Amino acid sequence: MFRTRFAPSPTGYLHLGHALSALTVAHFARQAGGEMLLRIENTDFTRCRDEYESAIFDDLDWLGLDWPTPVRRQTAHFPEYKKALQKLIDAHVVYRCFLSRKELMTIIDSNPEMSAHGPDGPVYFGQPLPASEEAHLIEQGTPFAWRLSIRAARDMLCTDWSDISYAERSSGGEMLVARHKATPEIFGDAVIARKDIGTSYHLASVHDDALQGITHVIRGDDLKQAVHLHRLLQVLLDLPEPVYQHHRLLTDDAGKKLSKRDESPSLKQMRESGVRTADVKAQIADLLQD
C-alpha cells in the first residue's frame, strides 16, 4: 500500500509553502490510491508551541485535507528514539562531542579539509575523547551531542559502504524511479542526538518513517540532501528503504524560499481574514502536483 506523510514542526504558523507541500503529498497519495499520514515533529521543545500545533490542524482542515488518527506526536516517543540511539552506540558508530559552537568553528577554520557548507551547516569530522576525559566531562555535567562517525560507519560497513544508494521518483510525466549513490559524508559527523534532546530530526524521522510503514517520502527540495544521511541511518539501523520524491519550493519575489523565520504570511492569517481555500490553491497552482 502506498503510504506517505506530511510532517510539520510546530515552531511557527504554517505558510503557503507548507500548503503547497501538504497538498502535493495528499495529491500523490490519492493518485496512488493510498493514504497520507499527519505527523507532528515536535522534538525541539525549545521552539515548539501548543498554539502552533493547534493551528496546524485548523490550517490543514481548512485546506480540505484529512488523515488517519491518532496523529503521532514525537515528544510522546522519546524512549523509542533512545532505543534507536542505543543501537548505534552499541555498534560503536556514534560518539559524544563536547565542543561548543565557538570551539567547533575554531577547529573548522584551522582545518582547510573541513568545509562550512554542509546541508546542516559546519561540516566536522572528529573522534571520541579518551575514556577518562569523557568521564570527567560527563561528571561535570558538560553539554554534549551524539555525532554519527562517518569513519566508524565506513569501517563497519566495509565494501557495503559504496553500495549505499537511494531511489528517487520524478515528480511529473511517467513518475520514473531512478537510483542514485548516497554520499552521507557531505554532512560530516552529523549530530543525531543531544544530551538535553535525546534525538534529532534525522534520527526521529527515519525511525518514524519505518515504524509507520511509509513507502514514499514526499517533501520539498530543501530537504533533498537529507536523503544521503537518512539512507545511512536506515542501513545502520536495519530499517526499510522508502522511495523519495522532492517537489519544487514556493519562493517570494526575490526568489527566496518562504520561511517561518522571515515571517511569511501565515495560513492562519489568511483563513481568519476571509481568504478562500480556492484562492490559496490558485496562488500555488503552477507548482501544485509538479
Side-chain angles (χ1 to χ4, degrees):
M1 178 183 181
F2 185 108
R3 178 177 290 162
T4 186
R5 82 299 197 270
F6 178 61
S9 297
T11 56
Y13 293 115
L14 301 188
H15 50 64
L16 276 176
H18 295 107
L20 169 63
S21 187
L23 290 168
T24 298
V25 172
H27 163 75
F28 286 112
R30 286 194 305 270
Q31 186 183 66
E35 64 180 355
M36 178 191 79
L37 305 186
L38 174 61
R39 185 167 74 221
I40 302 298
E41 298 195 338
N42 59 344
T43 56
D44 186 357
F45 49 77
T46 62
R47 297 172 57 215
C48 293
R49 297 182 186 175
D50 290 343
E51 59 264 37
Y52 296 151
E53 183 173 327
S54 178
I56 287 173
F57 291 93
D58 293 338
D59 290 341
L60 297 182
D61 182 65
W62 177 62
L63 290 173
L65 301 177
D66 53 40
W67 50 87
T69 56
V71 171
R72 185 176 177 87
R73 300 178 70 255
Q74 289 186 332
T75 48
H77 302 280
F78 277 119
E80 297 175 36
Y81 307 136
K82 184 178 181 180
K83 289 181 180 179
L85 174 61
Q86 189 61 50
K87 186 171 182 178
L88 298 175
I89 294 172
D90 293 342
H92 305 290
V93 293
V94 296
Y95 62 92
R96 291 185 181 92
C97 176
F98 296 87
L99 294 172
S100 67
R101 183 170 180 82
K102 182 178 180 180
E103 291 169 334
L104 183 67
M105 292 308 300
T106 298
I107 293 174
I108 290 173
D109 290 343
S110 61
N111 288 270
E113 71 274 13
M114 294 185 185
S115 166
H117 303 292
D120 279 352
V123 171
Y124 170 73
F125 295 93
Q127 58 186 351
L129 292 174
S132 59
E133 186 176 347
E134 182 176 275
H136 175 68
L137 291 172
I138 292 174
E139 185 178 354
Q140 287 185 319
T142 305
F144 64 83
W146 284 103
R147 289 186 179 273
L148 178 63
S149 171
I150 290 296
R151 182 185 297 108
R154 184 185 285 117
D155 290 345
M156 174 186 170
L157 295 173
C158 298
T159 56
D160 290 339
W161 173 269
S162 59
D163 294 332
I164 302 175
S165 61
Y166 63 94
E168 184 170 30
R169 189 170 79 151
S170 61
S171 292
E174 298 179 0
M175 304 301 294
L176 299 176
V177 176
R179 292 208 69 86
H180 306 279
K181 178 176 172 53
T183 54
E185 62 271 17
I186 62 175
F187 283 83
D189 289 353
V191 171
I192 59 164
R194 297 186 184 278
K195 178 184 176 183
D196 56 340
I197 302 177
T199 186
S200 65
Y201 156 70
H202 299 296
L203 182 60
S205 179
V206 163
H207 174 278
D208 287 355
D209 284 342
L211 180 73
Q212 295 185 291
I214 301 301
T215 62
H216 291 72
V217 174
I218 304 171
R219 56 195 180 191
D221 275 338
D222 55 331
L223 289 171
K224 189 169 186 175
Q225 288 182 303
V227 177
H228 298 273
L229 179 56
H230 291 188
R231 281 296 296 129
L232 175 57
L233 286 170
Q234 287 158 0
V235 170
L236 293 173
L237 292 169
D238 193 25
L239 300 176
E241 175 194 355
V243 173
Y244 290 91
Q245 182 177 331
H246 300 91
H247 61 77
R248 291 164 56 194
L249 302 177
L250 194 63
T251 58
D252 59 21
D253 292 339
K256 186 177 180 181
K257 183 191 79 167
L258 301 184
S259 71
K260 300 172 186 174
R261 185 171 300 175
D262 293 336
E263 298 185 351
S264 300
S266 71
L267 299 182
K268 180 177 184 292
Q269 291 172 325
M270 293 179 184
R271 59 181 169 80
E272 291 181 347
S273 65
V275 174
R276 299 180 306 161
T277 303
D279 296 328
V280 170
K281 292 181 178 179
Q283 281 187 262
I284 59 179
D286 290 344
L287 291 177
L288 196 58
Q289 303 169 17
D290 189 346

